[in-house]
Structures are given as structure tokens and as C-alpha cells.
Amino acid sequence: MIALGLEGSANKLGVGLILHPAKGGPATILSNIRHTFVSPPGEGFLPKDTAIHHRSWITRLVLQALKEAGITVADIDCICYTKGPGMGAPLQSVAIAARTLSLLWGKELVGVNHCVGHIEMGREITSAQNPVVLYVSGGNTQVIAYASQRYRIFGEALDIAVGNCLDRFARTLCISNDPAPGYNIEQMAKKGRHFVELPYTVKGMDCSFSGILASIDILADKLQNGPTEMKDEETGEPITREDLCFSLQETVYAMLVEITERAMAHVGSSQVLIVGGVGSNERLQEMMGMMAKDRGGSVFATDERFCIDNGIMIAHAGLLAYRTGFRTPLEESTCTQRFRTDEVFIKWRD
């Protein structure tokens, strides 16, 4: 079976085509194309502008994906699209495109939970068996474990997502959004030499990032506009923008490692799977790897092709559901900004 996947919950528009062999076995990625709406430095991406971008690019990306895969419309079994969660206007643009293609081509629709798409793609690529999942992106921060055909949320962000925290600090520093603000924060953090203490807010299994962001925004303002330069207390050397990026990463990632380790202990798992756009961060993978190694476990992660929002993950998760008999009727092919990971019945797993 072959599925077309359409993803557009935020500023990434992704189109993917995937093949599931009839007799089972690993899936084959036929095409995985993505185009990103990039806003100017110091600015975020507005829903209306992002939706315009998606509407402008969706047709050419679908045609490009078909050409790259070397298949025709007749070969496609179903059309999968992101039902939510995400930003309203971009989600609507992609849902309308999916409905249009469904009617034009006579193909059935499958609405997909964005978070489940990340998890299933991560499991497929890494072959992780039954890991604790850390899902970290611009819109979501969740620690998840599978039980009784649901992806159960053990902990999450109480306010803003960790990716949103990083992105907003990039705006504070007027860092470029190309290719992504979080990626550029990561590169600056690699040059940081001094750790600046920030609030560390873990509440049970949950995290809070808004206070950390407010605190480091104040420090950034002092650094850029203060009458005197900030200095490291131990060395007396000046604090730099790179030091702030380094300190922010170290703090928020330590929080994520803590709650992930607690979830591993609770469910008795030795595996961690990191998914979502922030999951491609090398420092996060390194810190998680050190924790897992101490527990005799292992960490699984993917590169930016699959960590960052993409159409192939929607196609894969949608096709898993389609093969169990799940369909989304045209009159129910809506989208929603709020769609919890644990709302989805995972019929394809035992």
C-alpha cells in the first residue's frame, strides 16, 4: 500500500509518499519533500502568513513528490493529513488541500495526530522496540510511554513548549530564522564558555519554561543595553550572547533529562526515543545518552529529515491506521488546534 502524507501544522510544509510492503517488513520512503516559511530575524511566523505560504506551495510539492517517487495517482491508496495539533490557519490550508485531492482523485482520507506521526516515524526509522518517548518541538513537550493501545503522557510542559522557549529567545537576540532559530541557538551555544545560572523548574513530571525565558530575556537586555558589561563571577571574563545560549540549552535540557529518567524508572524501560524538531539537537542527544548509559540503556534519535516536521511521518502513521480499517469521512475531515496524543486509539499495536 502507498500513502500520500500532507503536513502543515506550523511553518514547515511537508509532502511525503511511503510504501508499506504487502507481506510486511520495513516501510519504503518514496519521497520526502519539505518547504519552510522563514520569517525575518527577530520575528515569529504569523498563522495567516504561514497559511498563505502553504497554499502557495502545496500543489508544486505534491507534483514534485509524485515525480520523485516515480508513481502515478492510481498507485496511491489513501491521502493522510495532519488533523492537529497545530496552528489553526496552516492546518486548515492543508486540510482543504487534502479534501480537494480526495475528491479529485477518488481517494479515502485519514486524519492523523501530529504527535503520533512523530512517534511512529521515529520507531520505524530507529527500530526502537518499546521506548519512553521524549517529544520536543516548537509546540509540544511531552514524556510519553505506550500502554494498552494508547500513548500515555507521563509529563509535559505546563506553559510554553521547550522549542517555543528557544525560538523566542532567538527572537530576543534577533538571530536568523534560517534554517531554524533553534538550530542557530545550538550553533551559538557550542561557542559558549561560561554558565549563567537560570531558574530550574521541574514540578513532579512536568516542566515550566516561561520563567526561564523571562529570566534570560532580562539578562540579554542587560547584556545588550546595560551601562556596564556582565562578567562571569569566577573568571571575571565578559558574558557573551553565546554564553547565554549555552546556559539556556544546558538548563532546559537537564530538566528534560530528569523527567525522562523518572519515566524510564517508572515503566522499567531501558530505551529512550527522542522525536520532534528539538530532538535533532546534538547536545540534547548527548545529555540523554549519558543518562541512559548510566542506567544501562540506549537512546534512539533521527536526523533533521525525520525529526523536523515532515509529510512522510503523516503518511506512515496514517497508513498504519488505514490498514486497520480506519477512515476519515469527508464531512469529518476537519482540523483542530488541540488534539492530545493520548486521545488516539493505537489499534495497530498490541
Side-chain angles (χ1 to χ4, degrees):
M1 289 185 171
I2 295 177
L4 171 71
L6 306 177
E7 154 59 23
S9 59
N11 68 325
K12 310 287 192 303
L13 177 63
V15 176
L17 284 158
I18 198 164
L19 167 68
H20 285 190
K23 297 182 179 179
T28 301
I29 297 170
L30 304 177
S31 62
N32 186 21
I33 299 169
R34 181 170 54 221
H35 196 275
T36 304
F37 171 66
V38 179
S39 54
E43 297 181 16
F45 48 91
L46 296 174
K48 63 181 180 65
D49 296 332
T50 309
I52 291 170
H53 166 269
H54 290 1
R55 290 196 296 269
S56 302
W57 280 90
I58 188 70
T59 301
R60 69 187 87 177
L61 259 59
V62 169
L63 292 173
Q64 185 181 343
L66 287 168
K67 182 178 180 181
E68 184 177 297
I71 65 171
T72 65
V73 171
D75 299 315
I76 297 174
D77 292 281
C78 62
I79 297 171
C80 312
Y81 75 97
T82 303
K83 187 177 181 68
M87 300 170 70
L91 281 172
Q92 283 183 332
S93 297
V94 174
I96 290 170
R99 286 197 292 269
T100 303
L101 292 177
S102 173
L103 292 170
L104 282 173
W105 296 348
K107 306 294 181 181
E108 292 182 295
L109 284 169
V110 179
V112 176
N113 180 286
H114 179 87
C115 315
V116 172
H118 272 297
I119 296 170
E120 292 300 348
M121 199 68 235
R123 290 181 61 239
E124 177 69 23
I125 295 297
T126 64
S127 298
Q129 297 303 307
N130 191 27
V132 167
V133 178
L134 175 64
Y135 171 36
V136 278
S137 67
N140 298 276
T141 301
Q142 297 175 348
V143 177
I144 301 162
Y146 175 79
S148 302
Q149 296 191 299
R150 300 272 178 181
Y151 284 116
R152 313 287 178 173
I153 299 173
F154 277 67
E156 58 191 319
L158 295 171
D159 37 45
I160 61 174
V162 63
N164 187 245
C165 176
L166 295 169
D167 291 352
R168 287 166 66 173
F169 185 58
R171 296 207 291 271
T172 297
L173 297 183
C174 286
I175 297 172
S176 171
N177 291 319
D178 188 16
Y183 173 81
N184 293 328
I185 287 270
E186 179 184 3
Q187 303 315 307
M188 291 181 67
K190 291 176 180 178
K191 301 175 184 177
R193 298 176 57 228
H194 306 111
F195 179 78
V196 180
E197 189 169 345
L198 296 168
Y200 185 97
T201 316
V202 172
K203 301 180 179 181
M205 285 297 297
D206 299 324
C207 292
S208 173
F209 298 104
S210 59
I212 300 170
L213 176 63
S215 179
I216 200 167
D217 276 348
I218 292 171
L219 294 175
D221 182 65
K222 288 182 179 178
L223 182 67
Q224 298 176 130
N225 304 311
T228 58
E229 66 178 4
M230 295 171 55
K231 292 187 178 181
D232 179 64
E233 293 180 359
E234 292 186 3
T235 65
E237 295 179 346
I239 297 296
T240 64
R241 287 155 44 105
E242 287 77 11
D243 292 332
L244 293 184
C245 292
F246 166 72
S247 303
L248 179 60
Q249 278 202 164
E250 293 297 301
T251 302
V252 299
Y253 293 161
M255 292 162 56
L256 296 174
V257 170
E258 178 184 335
I259 62 173
T260 304
E261 182 176 19
R262 196 172 292 132
M264 291 174 70
H266 182 80
V267 303
S269 175
S270 62
Q271 295 182 338
V272 180
L273 172 63
I274 309 176
V275 300
V278 181
S280 60
N281 185 285
E282 294 176 356
R283 179 56 180 158
L284 174 58
Q285 293 180 13
E286 180 185 17
M287 292 173 70
M288 197 66 71
M290 288 187 287
M291 178 274 289
K293 184 179 179 181
D294 287 344
R295 297 183 60 85
S298 53
V299 172
F300 297 85
T302 63
D303 58 32
E304 72 280 354
R305 291 174 300 167
F306 306 109
C307 262
I308 297 173
D309 291 351
N310 59 86
I312 204 70
M313 71 182 196
I314 302 302
H316 178 59
L319 194 49
L320 288 173
Y322 181 82
R323 290 169 61 182
T324 68
F326 180 80
R327 307 288 188 272
T328 300
L330 189 68
E331 59 273 16
E332 297 177 15
S333 58
T334 56
C335 54
T336 174
Q337 291 180 266
R338 300 182 185 277
F339 190 5
R340 297 276 293 178
T341 311
D342 49 12
E343 290 179 35
V344 182
F345 181 64
I346 312 297
K347 192 174 181 180
W348 55 91
R349 289 191 66 178
D350 296 330

